[in-house]
Amino acid sequence: MPGEIWDYTATQNLILSTVTIDGRPRDVLLQAPKNGFFYVLDRATGELLQAENFVTVTWAHGIDLETGRPIPNPAADYRDEPRVVFPSSAGGHNWQPMSFNPETGIAYIPAREQAMLWRSLDEFDHRPEVAYEGFTASWPPFPEEFAHLTEGLPDIGPNEFLLAWDPVAGRELWRVPRGSMWNGGTLVTGGNLVIQGTAAGTLDFHQADTGERIHSIHLGTGVMAGPMTYEVDGVQYIAVMAGYGGPRGSAYPLGSAAYDYDSAGRLLVFRLDGGDVPLPPAQVVPTTPEPPDLALDAARVRRGAELFGVHCRICHRASDEHLSAYPDLRRMDGGAWESFDAVVLGGALAVNGMAAFGDLLSMEDVTAIRHYLTSEQRRLWEAESAADPVQDGR
């Protein structure tokens, strides 16, 4: 990735196998990295044998098989003007492992179709997106002012699906859409099964040749890891690590298992005559304490929303459609409000992993965040009080 400016890391799992190319067996290395191209390399010589895109790709016109270099698309260079680019920085395939059946020559990828809006900045600017020094990256839906950049493009997503891919032919065989985001890795077995856990809290079993779902087990816990299989005394077991984490582990969206159930990690193991899976305890959403008596300033509320989006939202992401895995700062009690400045600026809870932000935020910045969080807490408290007039003595 020369001049890499889209965060297309290539840390995805590598698979070693033998495939038949032009009538003869080749020992190969297979990888489907974030940049959206499926690579097939001769693992003895490094020769690039195949590199076709397995998801929508607009950052490059293709990969040069002679050099292994991408053929860049100038329309994806956002250094001079904003651009919408496929894939997003989440990649066409993230860390969740793909699998490969050496008998059939088919790979099974937990794939994603999603665009991303990139734009360069003259100087660091506080915006409620993924912000870095010199540029920002926005996830769909994009601000209205940039809607024209999506004209003529496919669905900007996000859309996740289980993808069956023929690496030698460089083509898709089938796909199964997933309604949830950040689903698990895949396991393929010799019994024509592909197994994948989902963020919605199921373990799904598909026919490997057609993609048809033939069984689903309700776990109540989201799965991002790849399942594995083993045998003991002639009995086959399927095991999977479950627990909602990874890049979206700070927020539990509506529709995910972690929105409804406690998301503590656990190891789940199955056999054909096994019993039902015990469901985790139900997720408990705290009620909103009465907000501080603070005279809100509209300009500070807006500024605080921007600062919160840049510095706080990645962990304390809570909304009407998301639960936060960390303390929901919209629901702080009196003690938390009293220590807020010491925690944010001074690192009073650094031992718990909440680092000090005194090198990034001023006292005025923290005051603005206070105004924003107070406005949010007031909105929640009033809505809950209207729904339950007994709450807080009302």
Side-chain angles (χ1 to χ4, degrees):
M1 296 296 300
E4 207 279 270
I5 58 173
W6 306 280
D7 193 25
Y8 292 150
T9 52
T11 56
Q12 289 60 40
N13 64 311
L14 307 174
I15 292 177
L16 306 183
S17 192
T18 302
V19 300
T20 300
I21 298 178
D22 295 331
R24 67 186 182 93
R26 301 288 291 268
D27 293 332
V28 296
L29 179 151
L30 310 174
Q31 190 185 38
K34 287 170 71 174
N35 71 18
F37 291 96
F38 194 108
Y39 290 80
V40 182
L41 295 97
D42 185 303
R43 69 174 188 260
T45 68
E47 179 186 357
L48 181 59
L49 306 174
Q50 182 67 272
E52 293 292 332
N53 60 294
F54 60 93
V55 293
T56 299
V57 169
T58 62
W59 70 271
H61 295 299
I63 305 294
D64 186 328
L65 294 184
E66 293 297 321
T67 64
R69 294 275 188 164
I71 305 167
N73 179 5
D77 189 335
Y78 59 85
R79 286 174 289 188
D80 294 327
E81 59 182 300
R83 304 286 191 178
V84 171
V85 182
F86 280 88
S88 72
S89 64
H93 171 216
N94 209 276
W95 65 262
Q96 295 91 331
M98 70 175 183
S99 56
F100 179 73
N101 186 335
E103 299 298 322
T104 63
I106 301 174
Y108 300 92
I109 312 169
R112 166 184 284 234
E113 294 264 10
Q114 184 179 35
M116 183 161 255
L117 170 64
W118 295 90
R119 48 197 158 128
S120 191
L121 301 172
D122 293 333
E123 59 185 20
F124 184 80
D125 188 12
H126 293 292
R127 295 172 183 263
E129 302 110 348
V130 181
Y132 308 89
E133 185 172 1
F135 63 94
T136 63
S138 302
W139 304 90
F142 304 138
E144 185 62 31
E145 62 184 298
F146 301 106
H148 66 283
L149 296 176
T150 65
E151 294 176 1
L153 294 176
D155 180 3
I156 61 174
N159 299 301
E160 283 201 6
F161 47 95
L162 171 60
L163 176 67
W165 183 262
D166 183 335
V168 175
R171 66 184 181 93
E172 176 181 325
L173 300 178
W174 52 257
R175 69 172 62 187
V176 176
R178 296 293 189 203
S180 54
M181 294 295 109
W182 297 108
N183 299 288
T186 67
L187 166 70
V188 60
T189 74
N192 194 39
L193 292 177
V194 175
I195 306 168
Q196 183 185 28
T198 71
T202 64
L203 188 65
D204 291 353
F205 296 74
H206 300 262
Q207 286 194 180
D209 53 350
T210 66
E212 178 186 358
R213 190 175 73 170
I214 57 177
H215 190 52
S216 182
I217 301 174
H218 180 45
L219 311 177
T221 307
V223 177
M224 299 184 77
M228 58 89 70
T229 186
Y230 61 95
E231 182 181 298
V232 177
D233 296 332
V235 178
Q236 184 181 9
Y237 296 85
I238 302 291
V240 65
M241 290 293 293
Y244 201 71
R248 285 296 173 268
S250 62
Y252 303 150
L254 183 66
S256 69
Y259 190 91
D260 297 316
Y261 298 97
D262 180 87
S263 61
R266 54 185 183 155
L267 173 64
L268 299 171
V269 183
F270 304 88
R271 53 185 283 175
L272 282 180
D273 57 353
D276 295 334
V277 177
L279 295 179
Q283 187 71 264
V284 177
V285 180
T287 57
T288 305
E290 186 172 355
D293 184 15
L294 176 66
L296 296 180
D297 178 83
R300 277 177 163 169
V301 171
R302 289 193 297 271
R303 174 66 172 164
E306 294 176 353
L307 291 166
F308 186 88
V310 172
H311 297 289
C312 315
R313 187 173 180 269
I314 188 65
C315 289
H316 299 280
R317 182 184 181 189
S319 67
D320 295 343
E321 295 185 346
H322 289 82
L323 298 180
S324 179
Y326 297 97
D328 185 344
L329 301 184
R330 306 173 306 164
R331 291 186 164 98
M332 290 190 289
D333 60 19
W337 279 115
E338 290 175 4
S339 60
F340 189 71
D341 298 348
V343 170
V344 176
L345 293 176
L349 292 180
V351 68
N352 294 341
M354 171 61 201
F357 280 70
D359 58 334
L360 297 172
L361 298 173
S362 67
M363 189 65 229
E364 174 55 32
D365 292 335
V366 176
T367 299
I369 295 174
R370 274 181 172 270
H371 278 248
Y372 165 67
L373 291 174
T374 300
S375 71
E376 284 292 288
Q377 186 165 347
R378 190 167 297 171
R379 178 181 66 83
L380 291 172
W381 185 71
E382 291 175 351
E384 291 173 14
S385 297
D388 181 10
V390 178
Q391 178 180 316
D392 296 316
R394 283 191 159 195

